[in-house]
């Protein structure tokens, strides 16, 4: 329903569209939210934590608990890496090195767990990990370089589990002298394979890329070892 504005001087010659008018249609009454929407709002509000009710001591207690959980996880990961993961890595390095020369027995993977060599393997690999970590704490580049300098330590220890850390480190440094960039480029050549493995949810990496990479690294070790012995007078 429309009416003509009372302040307007009517002209009989004007068309209807030119006559100003006021819309008297009542505004839509505000509707109350439906019961379903109200229940959703209450449920969402109930899920939100009431931060105003948390006191300072409670916040401190939560932070302490989180810190303790993180420390326990770090300690567990460190212990697992030092006493289980590193010896397995040494055993795998031995298995793939032997596979490059002959048919290797899968039992070679557990060579580091044998009596008399286990603790020396743990100690040597632990010192390597600590040194790389400390160098990485300075800057990324020194730690990155050290990781390549010590790259052959696992293979040296796999071949001679009784070797000391100092001797294994020096042999690895000598073998990687002038070869670190070549090893880095070799690693880059596997980047495409790793990306392809990610698209297969890791299946390609497990059954093809990782064994291929391990055999390649073992061949690199054998080549560098042979070159080092040839260069010696």
């Amino acid at each position: 329903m429309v009416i003509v504005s009372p302040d307007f001087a009517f002209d009989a010659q004007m068309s209807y569209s030119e006559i100003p008018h006021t819309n008297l249609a009542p505004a839509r009454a505000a509707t109350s939210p439906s019961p379903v929407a109200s229940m959703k709002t209450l449920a969402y509000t109930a899920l939100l934590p009431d931060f105003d009710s948390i006191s300072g001591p409670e916040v401190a207690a939560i932070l302490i608990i989180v810190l303790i959980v993180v420390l326990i996880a770090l300690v567990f990961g460190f212990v697992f890496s030092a006493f289980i993961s590193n010896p397995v890595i040494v055993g795998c390095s031995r298995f793939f090195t032997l596979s490059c020369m002959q048919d290797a027995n899968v039992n070679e993977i557990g060579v580091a767990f044998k009596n008399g060599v286990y603790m020396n393997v743990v100690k040597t690999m632990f010192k390597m990990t600590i040194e790389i970590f400390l160098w990485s704490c300075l800057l990324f580049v020194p730690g990155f370089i050290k990781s390549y300098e010590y790259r052959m330590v696992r293979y040296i220890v796999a071949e001679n589990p009784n070797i000391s850390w100092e001797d294994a480190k020096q042999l690895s440094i000598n073998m990687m002298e002038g070869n670190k960039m070549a090893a880095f480029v070799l690693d880059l050549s596997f980047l495409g394979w790793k990306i392809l493995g990610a698209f297969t949810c890791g299946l390609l990496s497990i059954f093809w890329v990782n064994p291929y990479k391990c055999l390649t690294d073992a061949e690199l070790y054998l080549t560098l070892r042979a070159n080092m012995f040839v260069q010696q007078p």
Side-chain angles (χ1 to χ4, degrees):
M1 175 181 180
V2 298
I3 64 173
V4 178
S5 175
D7 297 331
F8 176 72
F10 182 78
D11 186 354
Q13 301 299 322
M14 297 180 64
S15 64
Y16 176 81
S17 60
E18 296 175 324
I19 301 175
H21 56 272
T22 304
N23 190 357
L24 297 182
R28 180 178 297 178
T31 59
S32 60
S34 65
V36 175
S38 299
M39 294 176 63
K40 289 183 178 180
T41 303
L42 291 174
Y44 178 76
T45 306
L47 291 175
L48 292 176
D50 187 6
F51 292 103
D52 295 334
S53 64
I54 301 178
S55 61
E58 291 177 344
V59 173
I62 293 174
L63 292 177
I64 291 174
I65 292 174
V66 172
L67 180 61
I68 291 175
V69 172
V70 172
L71 289 176
I72 291 175
L74 290 176
V75 171
F76 177 79
F78 171 78
V79 172
F80 181 84
S81 175
F83 293 95
I84 298 179
S85 180
N86 283 343
V88 171
I89 290 175
V90 171
C92 290
S93 300
R94 181 180 178 88
F95 171 78
F96 284 107
T97 302
L98 292 176
S99 297
C100 293
M101 300 180 293
Q102 61 188 27
D103 292 335
N105 193 325
V106 71
N107 293 332
E108 297 292 343
I109 296 177
V111 66
F113 293 95
K114 294 181 179 179
N115 293 332
V117 300
Y118 174 70
M119 289 308 301
N120 186 68
V121 171
V122 169
K123 180 177 64 175
T124 302
M125 296 297 292
F126 172 76
K127 289 182 177 180
M128 181 192 73
T129 303
I130 291 297
E131 284 205 13
I132 294 176
F133 172 75
L134 293 178
W135 279 102
S136 300
C137 289
L138 297 177
L139 281 174
F140 172 77
V141 174
F144 184 76
I145 294 175
K146 285 298 178 181
S147 67
Y148 274 88
E149 280 189 353
Y150 301 160
R151 180 167 178 158
M152 296 297 129
V153 169
R154 66 181 63 179
Y155 297 96
I156 296 171
V157 175
E159 189 174 7
N160 185 8
N162 291 310
I163 193 171
S164 66
W165 158 241
E166 289 75 16
D167 292 340
K169 177 177 70 173
Q170 191 57 50
L171 282 173
S172 179
I173 292 174
N174 294 340
M175 294 171 69
M176 294 301 297
E177 182 67 28
N179 296 302
K180 290 186 285 292
M181 181 56 67
F184 175 69
V185 173
L186 179 64
D187 290 340
L188 288 180
S189 67
F190 284 89
L191 183 60
W193 283 108
K194 292 183 178 180
I195 295 175
L196 188 60
F199 281 104
T200 62
C201 298
L203 294 178
L204 184 64
S205 298
I206 295 174
F207 295 104
W208 173 255
V209 180
N210 290 341
Y212 181 27
K213 179 68 165 58
C214 290
L215 282 172
T216 303
D217 288 341
E219 286 286 359
L220 175 64
Y221 166 71
L222 293 174
T223 301
L224 295 179
R225 187 187 66 168
N227 292 341
M228 186 180 65
F229 287 139
V230 168
Q231 292 174 2
Q232 289 180 353

